[in-house]
PDB file of all heavy atoms in Angstrom:
ATOM      1  N   ARG Z  12    -106.966  14.665  41.074  1.00 98.00           N
ATOM      2  CA  ARG Z  12    -106.302  14.553  42.373  1.00 98.00           C
ATOM      3  C   ARG Z  12    -105.546  13.238  42.500  1.00 98.00           C
ATOM      4  O   ARG Z  12    -104.375  13.207  42.890  1.00 98.00           O
ATOM      5  CB  ARG Z  12    -107.352  14.673  43.484  1.00 98.00           C
ATOM      6  CG  ARG Z  12    -106.780  14.749  44.899  1.00 98.00           C
ATOM      7  CD  ARG Z  12    -107.899  14.718  45.941  1.00 98.00           C
ATOM      8  NE  ARG Z  12    -107.408  15.036  47.262  1.00 98.00           N
ATOM      9  CZ  ARG Z  12    -107.550  16.193  47.876  1.00 98.00           C
ATOM     10  NH1 ARG Z  12    -108.181  17.187  47.245  1.00 98.00           N
ATOM     11  NH2 ARG Z  12    -107.075  16.402  49.089  1.00 98.00           N
ATOM     12  N   GLN Z  13    -106.217  12.133  42.144  1.00 98.00           N
ATOM     13  CA  GLN Z  13    -105.576  10.836  42.306  1.00 98.00           C
ATOM     14  C   GLN Z  13    -104.443  10.634  41.300  1.00 98.00           C
ATOM     15  O   GLN Z  13    -103.449   9.968  41.596  1.00 98.00           O
ATOM     16  CB  GLN Z  13    -106.599   9.712  42.181  1.00 98.00           C
ATOM     17  CG  GLN Z  13    -106.063   8.342  42.572  1.00 98.00           C
ATOM     18  CD  GLN Z  13    -105.534   8.311  44.006  1.00 98.00           C
ATOM     19  OE1 GLN Z  13    -106.093   8.958  44.891  1.00 98.00           O
ATOM     20  NE2 GLN Z  13    -104.434   7.595  44.226  1.00 98.00           N
ATOM     21  N   THR Z  14    -104.563  11.233  40.124  1.00 98.00           N
ATOM     22  CA  THR Z  14    -103.485  11.137  39.134  1.00 98.00           C
ATOM     23  C   THR Z  14    -102.226  11.837  39.639  1.00 98.00           C
ATOM     24  O   THR Z  14    -101.113  11.302  39.548  1.00 98.00           O
ATOM     25  CB  THR Z  14    -103.930  11.745  37.792  1.00 98.00           C
ATOM     26  OG1 THR Z  14    -105.022  10.966  37.287  1.00 98.00           O
ATOM     27  CG2 THR Z  14    -102.794  11.745  36.786  1.00 98.00           C
ATOM     28  N   VAL Z  15    -102.395  13.047  40.194  1.00 97.00           N
ATOM     29  CA  VAL Z  15    -101.242  13.777  40.735  1.00 97.00           C
ATOM     30  C   VAL Z  15    -100.643  13.015  41.920  1.00 97.00           C
ATOM     31  O   VAL Z  15     -99.421  12.854  42.020  1.00 97.00           O
ATOM     32  CB  VAL Z  15    -101.654  15.204  41.143  1.00 97.00           C
ATOM     33  CG1 VAL Z  15    -100.538  15.888  41.912  1.00 97.00           C
ATOM     34  CG2 VAL Z  15    -102.008  16.024  39.906  1.00 97.00           C
ATOM     35  N   CYS Z  16    -101.499  12.527  42.813  1.00 97.00           N
ATOM     36  CA  CYS Z  16    -101.000  11.791  43.984  1.00 97.00           C
ATOM     37  C   CYS Z  16    -100.299  10.499  43.558  1.00 97.00           C
ATOM     38  O   CYS Z  16     -99.213  10.170  44.054  1.00 97.00           O
ATOM     39  CB  CYS Z  16    -102.151  11.455  44.921  1.00 97.00           C
ATOM     40  SG  CYS Z  16    -102.906  12.872  45.741  1.00 97.00           S
ATOM     41  N   GLY Z  17    -100.911   9.755  42.647  1.00 97.00           N
ATOM     42  CA  GLY Z  17    -100.338   8.481  42.225  1.00 97.00           C
ATOM     43  C   GLY Z  17     -99.029   8.657  41.476  1.00 97.00           C
ATOM     44  O   GLY Z  17     -98.064   7.911  41.698  1.00 97.00           O
ATOM     45  N   ALA Z  18     -98.982   9.647  40.583  1.00 97.00           N
ATOM     46  CA  ALA Z  18     -97.743   9.897  39.845  1.00 97.00           C
ATOM     47  C   ALA Z  18     -96.635  10.344  40.785  1.00 97.00           C
ATOM     48  O   ALA Z  18     -95.468   9.941  40.634  1.00 97.00           O
ATOM     49  CB  ALA Z  18     -97.996  10.951  38.768  1.00 97.00           C
ATOM     50  N   GLY Z  19     -97.000  11.164  41.773  1.00 96.00           N
ATOM     51  CA  GLY Z  19     -96.002  11.595  42.749  1.00 96.00           C
ATOM     52  C   GLY Z  19     -95.460  10.430  43.558  1.00 96.00           C
ATOM     53  O   GLY Z  19     -94.259  10.349  43.814  1.00 96.00           O
ATOM     54  N   GLU Z  20     -96.333   9.524  43.960  1.00 96.00           N
ATOM     55  CA  GLU Z  20     -95.888   8.369  44.725  1.00 96.00           C
ATOM     56  C   GLU Z  20     -95.004   7.452  43.888  1.00 96.00           C
ATOM     57  O   GLU Z  20     -94.001   6.918  44.379  1.00 96.00           O
ATOM     58  CB  GLU Z  20     -97.103   7.597  45.262  1.00 96.00           C
ATOM     59  CG  GLU Z  20     -96.757   6.454  46.193  1.00 96.00           C
ATOM     60  CD  GLU Z  20     -96.096   6.911  47.489  1.00 96.00           C
ATOM     61  OE1 GLU Z  20     -96.290   8.081  47.887  1.00 96.00           O
ATOM     62  OE2 GLU Z  20     -95.384   6.094  48.110  1.00 96.00           O
ATOM     63  N   LEU Z  21     -95.358   7.271  42.623  1.00 97.00           N
ATOM     64  CA  LEU Z  21     -94.525   6.469  41.733  1.00 97.00           C
ATOM     65  C   LEU Z  21     -93.147   7.097  41.564  1.00 97.00           C
ATOM     66  O   LEU Z  21     -92.119   6.404  41.620  1.00 97.00           O
ATOM     67  CB  LEU Z  21     -95.207   6.313  40.367  1.00 97.00           C
ATOM     68  CG  LEU Z  21     -94.438   5.539  39.288  1.00 97.00           C
ATOM     69  CD1 LEU Z  21     -94.110   4.123  39.767  1.00 97.00           C
ATOM     70  CD2 LEU Z  21     -95.234   5.503  37.990  1.00 97.00           C
ATOM     71  N   LEU Z  22     -93.105   8.398  41.383  1.00 97.00           N
ATOM     72  CA  LEU Z  22     -91.833   9.104  41.267  1.00 97.00           C
ATOM     73  C   LEU Z  22     -91.023   8.966  42.546  1.00 97.00           C
ATOM     74  O   LEU Z  22     -89.804   8.802  42.509  1.00 97.00           O
ATOM     75  CB  LEU Z  22     -92.096  10.585  40.962  1.00 97.00           C
ATOM     76  CG  LEU Z  22     -90.882  11.482  40.711  1.00 97.00           C
ATOM     77  CD1 LEU Z  22     -90.099  11.015  39.502  1.00 97.00           C
ATOM     78  CD2 LEU Z  22     -91.332  12.932  40.528  1.00 97.00           C
ATOM     79  N   TYR Z  23     -91.706   9.009  43.693  1.00 95.00           N
ATOM     80  CA  TYR Z  23     -91.035   8.887  44.990  1.00 95.00           C
ATOM     81  C   TYR Z  23     -90.418   7.505  45.176  1.00 95.00           C
ATOM     82  O   TYR Z  23     -89.286   7.368  45.642  1.00 95.00           O
ATOM     83  CB  TYR Z  23     -92.045   9.164  46.104  1.00 95.00           C
ATOM     84  CG  TYR Z  23     -91.488   9.050  47.501  1.00 95.00           C
ATOM     85  CD1 TYR Z  23     -90.669  10.044  48.027  1.00 95.00           C
ATOM     86  CD2 TYR Z  23     -91.792   7.956  48.306  1.00 95.00           C
ATOM     87  CE1 TYR Z  23     -90.157   9.952  49.315  1.00 95.00           C
ATOM     88  CE2 TYR Z  23     -91.289   7.858  49.595  1.00 95.00           C
ATOM     89  CZ  TYR Z  23     -90.475   8.852  50.090  1.00 95.00           C
ATOM     90  OH  TYR Z  23     -89.974   8.746  51.366  1.00 95.00           O
ATOM     91  N   GLN Z  24     -91.151   6.481  44.783  1.00 96.00           N
ATOM     92  CA  GLN Z  24     -90.691   5.112  45.030  1.00 96.00           C
ATOM     93  C   GLN Z  24     -89.738   4.588  43.962  1.00 96.00           C
ATOM     94  O   GLN Z  24     -88.955   3.667  44.224  1.00 96.00           O
ATOM     95  CB  GLN Z  24     -91.893   4.163  45.139  1.00 96.00           C
ATOM     96  CG  GLN Z  24     -92.774   4.420  46.337  1.00 96.00           C
ATOM     97  CD  GLN Z  24     -93.799   3.322  46.560  1.00 96.00           C
ATOM     98  OE1 GLN Z  24     -93.614   2.177  46.140  1.00 96.00           O
ATOM     99  NE2 GLN Z  24     -94.893   3.658  47.228  1.00 96.00           N
ATOM    100  N   SER Z  25     -89.792   5.149  42.768  1.00 97.00           N
ATOM    101  CA  SER Z  25     -88.989   4.630  41.665  1.00 97.00           C
ATOM    102  C   SER Z  25     -87.569   5.191  41.694  1.00 97.00           C
ATOM    103  O   SER Z  25     -87.337   6.325  42.107  1.00 97.00           O
ATOM    104  CB  SER Z  25     -89.646   4.991  40.333  1.00 97.00           C
ATOM    105  OG  SER Z  25     -88.851   4.552  39.249  1.00 97.00           O
ATOM    106  N   SER Z  26     -86.625   4.399  41.226  1.00 97.00           N
ATOM    107  CA  SER Z  26     -85.246   4.863  41.073  1.00 97.00           C
ATOM    108  C   SER Z  26     -85.010   5.473  39.687  1.00 97.00           C
ATOM    109  O   SER Z  26     -83.919   5.966  39.404  1.00 97.00           O
ATOM    110  CB  SER Z  26     -84.276   3.698  41.284  1.00 97.00           C
ATOM    111  OG  SER Z  26     -84.507   2.675  40.321  1.00 97.00           O
ATOM    112  N   LEU Z  27     -86.023   5.433  38.836  1.00 98.00           N
ATOM    113  CA  LEU Z  27     -85.892   5.946  37.478  1.00 98.00           C
ATOM    114  C   LEU Z  27     -85.999   7.471  37.448  1.00 98.00           C
ATOM    115  O   LEU Z  27     -86.663   8.083  38.297  1.00 98.00           O
ATOM    116  CB  LEU Z  27     -86.976   5.345  36.581  1.00 98.00           C
ATOM    117  CG  LEU Z  27     -86.960   3.821  36.424  1.00 98.00           C
ATOM    118  CD1 LEU Z  27     -88.160   3.369  35.606  1.00 98.00           C
ATOM    119  CD2 LEU Z  27     -85.657   3.351  35.775  1.00 98.00           C
ATOM    120  N   GLU Z  28     -85.352   8.072  36.455  1.00 98.00           N
ATOM    121  CA  GLU Z  28     -85.469   9.509  36.260  1.00 98.00           C
ATOM    122  C   GLU Z  28     -86.897   9.863  35.846  1.00 98.00           C
ATOM    123  O   GLU Z  28     -87.616   9.044  35.262  1.00 98.00           O
ATOM    124  CB  GLU Z  28     -84.496   9.977  35.175  1.00 98.00           C
ATOM    125  CG  GLU Z  28     -83.031   9.784  35.504  1.00 98.00           C
ATOM    126  CD  GLU Z  28     -82.562  10.724  36.601  1.00 98.00           C
ATOM    127  OE1 GLU Z  28     -83.158  11.814  36.750  1.00 98.00           O
ATOM    128  OE2 GLU Z  28     -81.605  10.364  37.313  1.00 98.00           O
ATOM    129  N   ALA Z  29     -87.294  11.107  36.139  1.00 97.00           N
ATOM    130  CA  ALA Z  29     -88.630  11.556  35.747  1.00 97.00           C
ATOM    131  C   ALA Z  29     -88.823  11.432  34.242  1.00 97.00           C
ATOM    132  O   ALA Z  29     -89.913  11.063  33.765  1.00 97.00           O
ATOM    133  CB  ALA Z  29     -88.846  13.000  36.202  1.00 97.00           C
ATOM    134  N   SER Z  30     -87.791  11.746  33.474  1.00 97.00           N
ATOM    135  CA  SER Z  30     -87.902  11.652  32.017  1.00 97.00           C
ATOM    136  C   SER Z  30     -88.174  10.219  31.566  1.00 97.00           C
ATOM    137  O   SER Z  30     -88.949   9.986  30.626  1.00 97.00           O
ATOM    138  CB  SER Z  30     -86.623  12.178  31.359  1.00 97.00           C
ATOM    139  OG  SER Z  30     -85.492  11.435  31.791  1.00 97.00           O
ATOM    140  N   THR Z  31     -87.562   9.239  32.243  1.00 98.00           N
ATOM    141  CA  THR Z  31     -87.782   7.828  31.891  1.00 98.00           C
ATOM    142  C   THR Z  31     -89.205   7.408  32.235  1.00 98.00           C
ATOM    143  O   THR Z  31     -89.868   6.698  31.457  1.00 98.00           O
ATOM    144  CB  THR Z  31     -86.775   6.926  32.621  1.00 98.00           C
ATOM    145  OG1 THR Z  31     -85.452   7.325  32.263  1.00 98.00           O
ATOM    146  CG2 THR Z  31     -86.978   5.457  32.246  1.00 98.00           C
ATOM    147  N   LEU Z  32     -89.695   7.832  33.395  1.00 98.00           N
ATOM    148  CA  LEU Z  32     -91.073   7.515  33.763  1.00 98.00           C
ATOM    149  C   LEU Z  32     -92.049   8.122  32.758  1.00 98.00           C
ATOM    150  O   LEU Z  32     -93.059   7.494  32.405  1.00 98.00           O
ATOM    151  CB  LEU Z  32     -91.359   8.026  35.166  1.00 98.00           C
ATOM    152  CG  LEU Z  32     -90.614   7.312  36.309  1.00 98.00           C
ATOM    153  CD1 LEU Z  32     -90.839   8.036  37.630  1.00 98.00           C
ATOM    154  CD2 LEU Z  32     -91.052   5.857  36.426  1.00 98.00           C
ATOM    155  N   ARG Z  33     -91.751   9.343  32.321  1.00 97.00           N
ATOM    156  CA  ARG Z  33     -92.603   9.965  31.303  1.00 97.00           C
ATOM    157  C   ARG Z  33     -92.602   9.140  30.023  1.00 97.00           C
ATOM    158  O   ARG Z  33     -93.667   8.864  29.432  1.00 97.00           O
ATOM    159  CB  ARG Z  33     -92.125  11.388  31.010  1.00 97.00           C
ATOM    160  CG  ARG Z  33     -92.778  12.019  29.773  1.00 97.00           C
ATOM    161  CD  ARG Z  33     -92.283  13.425  29.503  1.00 97.00           C
ATOM    162  NE  ARG Z  33     -90.851  13.533  29.410  1.00 97.00           N
ATOM    163  CZ  ARG Z  33     -90.113  13.160  28.345  1.00 97.00           C
ATOM    164  NH1 ARG Z  33     -90.710  12.610  27.282  1.00 97.00           N
ATOM    165  NH2 ARG Z  33     -88.805  13.332  28.341  1.00 97.00           N
ATOM    166  N   GLU Z  34     -91.409   8.740  29.585  1.00 97.00           N
ATOM    167  CA  GLU Z  34     -91.299   7.957  28.353  1.00 97.00           C
ATOM    168  C   GLU Z  34     -92.022   6.618  28.468  1.00 97.00           C
ATOM    169  O   GLU Z  34     -92.595   6.127  27.478  1.00 97.00           O
ATOM    170  CB  GLU Z  34     -89.825   7.735  28.020  1.00 97.00           C
ATOM    171  CG  GLU Z  34     -89.106   9.008  27.601  1.00 97.00           C
ATOM    172  CD  GLU Z  34     -87.588   8.870  27.626  1.00 97.00           C
ATOM    173  OE1 GLU Z  34     -87.097   7.789  27.996  1.00 97.00           O
ATOM    174  OE2 GLU Z  34     -86.912   9.863  27.282  1.00 97.00           O
ATOM    175  N   ASN Z  35     -92.024   6.047  29.677  1.00 97.00           N
ATOM    176  CA  ASN Z  35     -92.680   4.760  29.865  1.00 97.00           C
ATOM    177  C   ASN Z  35     -94.196   4.843  29.697  1.00 97.00           C
ATOM    178  O   ASN Z  35     -94.853   3.837  29.427  1.00 97.00           O
ATOM    179  CB  ASN Z  35     -92.358   4.197  31.255  1.00 97.00           C
ATOM    180  CG  ASN Z  35     -90.920   3.737  31.385  1.00 97.00           C
ATOM    181  OD1 ASN Z  35     -90.214   3.583  30.392  1.00 97.00           O
ATOM    182  ND2 ASN Z  35     -90.473   3.517  32.607  1.00 97.00           N
ATOM    183  N   VAL Z  36     -94.756   6.039  29.892  1.00 97.00           N
ATOM    184  CA  VAL Z  36     -96.198   6.233  29.737  1.00 97.00           C
ATOM    185  C   VAL Z  36     -96.564   6.574  28.291  1.00 97.00           C
ATOM    186  O   VAL Z  36     -97.720   6.486  27.901  1.00 97.00           O
ATOM    187  CB  VAL Z  36     -96.686   7.373  30.669  1.00 97.00           C
ATOM    188  CG1 VAL Z  36     -98.193   7.546  30.599  1.00 97.00           C
ATOM    189  CG2 VAL Z  36     -96.268   7.122  32.100  1.00 97.00           C
ATOM    190  N   THR Z  37     -95.574   6.967  27.494  1.00 97.00           N
ATOM    191  CA  THR Z  37     -95.819   7.581  26.193  1.00 97.00           C
ATOM    192  C   THR Z  37     -95.579   6.591  25.061  1.00 97.00           C
ATOM    193  O   THR Z  37     -94.433   6.238  24.741  1.00 97.00           O
ATOM    194  CB  THR Z  37     -94.906   8.803  26.004  1.00 97.00           C
ATOM    195  OG1 THR Z  37     -95.019   9.654  27.147  1.00 97.00           O
ATOM    196  CG2 THR Z  37     -95.306   9.578  24.753  1.00 97.00           C
ATOM    197  N   SER Z  38     -96.654   6.139  24.441  1.00 96.00           N
ATOM    198  CA  SER Z  38     -96.551   5.287  23.249  1.00 96.00           C
ATOM    199  C   SER Z  38     -96.455   6.170  22.014  1.00 96.00           C
ATOM    200  O   SER Z  38     -97.187   7.165  21.908  1.00 96.00           O
ATOM    201  CB  SER Z  38     -97.782   4.384  23.130  1.00 96.00           C
ATOM    202  OG  SER Z  38     -97.915   3.562  24.269  1.00 96.00           O
ATOM    203  N   PRO Z  39     -95.566   5.857  21.081  1.00 95.00           N
ATOM    204  CA  PRO Z  39     -95.446   6.669  19.860  1.00 95.00           C
ATOM    205  C   PRO Z  39     -96.787   6.773  19.132  1.00 95.00           C
ATOM    206  O   PRO Z  39     -97.460   5.781  18.883  1.00 95.00           O
ATOM    207  CB  PRO Z  39     -94.420   5.884  19.028  1.00 95.00           C
ATOM    208  CG  PRO Z  39     -93.636   5.102  20.039  1.00 95.00           C
ATOM    209  CD  PRO Z  39     -94.615   4.747  21.113  1.00 95.00           C
ATOM    210  N   GLY Z  40     -97.159   7.990  18.834  1.00 95.00           N
ATOM    211  CA  GLY Z  40     -98.399   8.213  18.109  1.00 95.00           C
ATOM    212  C   GLY Z  40     -99.655   8.047  18.927  1.00 95.00           C
ATOM    213  O   GLY Z  40    -100.769   8.122  18.384  1.00 95.00           O
ATOM    214  N   GLY Z  41     -99.521   7.866  20.241  1.00 97.00           N
ATOM    215  CA  GLY Z  41    -100.682   7.633  21.087  1.00 97.00           C
ATOM    216  C   GLY Z  41    -101.258   8.899  21.698  1.00 97.00           C
ATOM    217  O   GLY Z  41    -100.851  10.029  21.371  1.00 97.00           O
ATOM    218  N   THR Z  42    -102.186   8.706  22.640  1.00 97.00           N
ATOM    219  CA  THR Z  42    -102.874   9.850  23.247  1.00 97.00           C
ATOM    220  C   THR Z  42    -101.938  10.701  24.100  1.00 97.00           C
ATOM    221  O   THR Z  42    -102.014  11.936  24.089  1.00 97.00           O
ATOM    222  CB  THR Z  42    -104.041   9.356  24.117  1.00 97.00           C
ATOM    223  OG1 THR Z  42    -103.532   8.475  25.131  1.00 97.00           O
ATOM    224  CG2 THR Z  42    -105.067   8.592  23.269  1.00 97.00           C
ATOM    225  N   THR Z  43    -101.048  10.035  24.856  1.00 97.00           N
ATOM    226  CA  THR Z  43    -100.119  10.789  25.705  1.00 97.00           C
ATOM    227  C   THR Z  43     -99.167  11.613  24.857  1.00 97.00           C
ATOM    228  O   THR Z  43     -98.857  12.769  25.178  1.00 97.00           O
ATOM    229  CB  THR Z  43     -99.335   9.831  26.616  1.00 97.00           C
ATOM    230  OG1 THR Z  43    -100.251   9.008  27.338  1.00 97.00           O
ATOM    231  CG2 THR Z  43     -98.468  10.597  27.599  1.00 97.00           C
ATOM    232  N   ALA Z  44     -98.711  11.014  23.761  1.00 97.00           N
ATOM    233  CA  ALA Z  44     -97.809  11.744  22.862  1.00 97.00           C
ATOM    234  C   ALA Z  44     -98.494  12.981  22.298  1.00 97.00           C
ATOM    235  O   ALA Z  44     -97.869  14.043  22.162  1.00 97.00           O
ATOM    236  CB  ALA Z  44     -97.343  10.821  21.737  1.00 97.00           C
ATOM    237  N   ALA Z  45     -99.788  12.863  21.983  1.00 97.00           N
ATOM    238  CA  ALA Z  45    -100.517  14.011  21.450  1.00 97.00           C
ATOM    239  C   ALA Z  45    -100.565  15.139  22.475  1.00 97.00           C
ATOM    240  O   ALA Z  45    -100.397  16.322  22.131  1.00 97.00           O
ATOM    241  CB  ALA Z  45    -101.932  13.584  21.057  1.00 97.00           C
ATOM    242  N   ALA Z  46    -100.794  14.788  23.734  1.00 97.00           N
ATOM    243  CA  ALA Z  46    -100.834  15.798  24.781  1.00 97.00           C
ATOM    244  C   ALA Z  46     -99.454  16.411  25.022  1.00 97.00           C
ATOM    245  O   ALA Z  46     -99.314  17.627  25.184  1.00 97.00           O
ATOM    246  CB  ALA Z  46    -101.375  15.189  26.070  1.00 97.00           C
ATOM    247  N   LEU Z  47     -98.417  15.566  25.020  1.00 96.00           N
ATOM    248  CA  LEU Z  47     -97.069  16.065  25.278  1.00 96.00           C
ATOM    249  C   LEU Z  47     -96.555  16.952  24.151  1.00 96.00           C
ATOM    250  O   LEU Z  47     -95.696  17.814  24.380  1.00 96.00           O
ATOM    251  CB  LEU Z  47     -96.114  14.895  25.513  1.00 96.00           C
ATOM    252  CG  LEU Z  47     -96.304  14.152  26.848  1.00 96.00           C
ATOM    253  CD1 LEU Z  47     -95.380  12.949  26.928  1.00 96.00           C
ATOM    254  CD2 LEU Z  47     -96.057  15.087  28.035  1.00 96.00           C
ATOM    255  N   ASN Z  48     -97.076  16.759  22.941  1.00 96.00           N
ATOM    256  CA  ASN Z  48     -96.698  17.654  21.850  1.00 96.00           C
ATOM    257  C   ASN Z  48     -97.084  19.092  22.174  1.00 96.00           C
ATOM    258  O   ASN Z  48     -96.423  20.041  21.756  1.00 96.00           O
ATOM    259  CB  ASN Z  48     -97.372  17.217  20.537  1.00 96.00           C
ATOM    260  CG  ASN Z  48     -96.708  16.006  19.926  1.00 96.00           C
ATOM    261  OD1 ASN Z  48     -95.546  15.705  20.220  1.00 96.00           O
ATOM    262  ND2 ASN Z  48     -97.446  15.295  19.082  1.00 96.00           N
ATOM    263  N   VAL Z  49     -98.158  19.249  22.956  1.00 95.00           N
ATOM    264  CA  VAL Z  49     -98.576  20.581  23.399  1.00 95.00           C
ATOM    265  C   VAL Z  49     -97.736  21.032  24.587  1.00 95.00           C
ATOM    266  O   VAL Z  49     -97.173  22.136  24.599  1.00 95.00           O
ATOM    267  CB  VAL Z  49    -100.073  20.578  23.767  1.00 95.00           C
ATOM    268  CG1 VAL Z  49    -100.483  21.954  24.299  1.00 95.00           C
ATOM    269  CG2 VAL Z  49    -100.916  20.186  22.564  1.00 95.00           C
ATOM    270  N   LEU Z  50     -97.621  20.164  25.610  1.00 96.00           N
ATOM    271  CA  LEU Z  50     -96.930  20.541  26.843  1.00 96.00           C
ATOM    272  C   LEU Z  50     -95.436  20.747  26.641  1.00 96.00           C
ATOM    273  O   LEU Z  50     -94.803  21.511  27.383  1.00 96.00           O
ATOM    274  CB  LEU Z  50     -97.145  19.471  27.913  1.00 96.00           C
ATOM    275  CG  LEU Z  50     -98.559  19.372  28.493  1.00 96.00           C
ATOM    276  CD1 LEU Z  50     -98.671  18.173  29.422  1.00 96.00           C
ATOM    277  CD2 LEU Z  50     -98.944  20.654  29.228  1.00 96.00           C
ATOM    278  N   MET Z  51     -94.852  20.069  25.663  1.00 95.00           N
ATOM    279  CA  MET Z  51     -93.410  20.150  25.443  1.00 95.00           C
ATOM    280  C   MET Z  51     -93.063  20.972  24.206  1.00 95.00           C
ATOM    281  O   MET Z  51     -91.933  20.928  23.710  1.00 95.00           O
ATOM    282  CB  MET Z  51     -92.808  18.751  25.340  1.00 95.00           C
ATOM    283  CG  MET Z  51     -93.008  17.915  26.594  1.00 95.00           C
ATOM    284  SD  MET Z  51     -92.401  16.212  26.474  1.00 95.00           S
ATOM    285  CE  MET Z  51     -90.611  16.510  26.447  1.00 95.00           C
ATOM    286  N   GLY Z  52     -94.025  21.747  23.713  1.00 90.00           N
ATOM    287  CA  GLY Z  52     -93.782  22.601  22.562  1.00 90.00           C
ATOM    288  C   GLY Z  52     -92.891  23.784  22.905  1.00 90.00           C
ATOM    289  O   GLY Z  52     -92.424  23.938  24.047  1.00 90.00           O
ATOM    290  N   GLY Z  53     -92.667  24.645  21.934  1.00 86.00           N
ATOM    291  CA  GLY Z  53     -91.747  25.764  22.111  1.00 86.00           C
ATOM    292  C   GLY Z  53     -92.062  26.650  23.297  1.00 86.00           C
ATOM    293  O   GLY Z  53     -91.163  27.146  23.977  1.00 86.00           O
TER     294      GLY Z  53
END
């Protein structure tokens, strides 16, 4: 719940595109990248 609320608030307040905010959380070869490989697959 707090992750969805917090991410939404960050998206609301930031002038950055959603794709940029996503990239800012994603370290190459890290845990987020592993999850996004599933979510952004074919």
Side-chain angles (χ1 to χ4, degrees):
R12 187 186 191 102
Q13 190 58 36
T14 296
V15 171
C16 292
E20 186 65 24
L21 178 58
L22 184 62
Y23 179 75
Q24 294 190 24
S25 177
S26 61
L27 299 175
E28 296 290 333
S30 59
T31 301
L32 292 172
R33 169 180 54 77
E34 291 165 359
N35 289 346
V36 184
T37 309
S38 301
T42 59
T43 306
L47 289 176
N48 284 339
V49 177
L50 290 174
M51 299 176 70

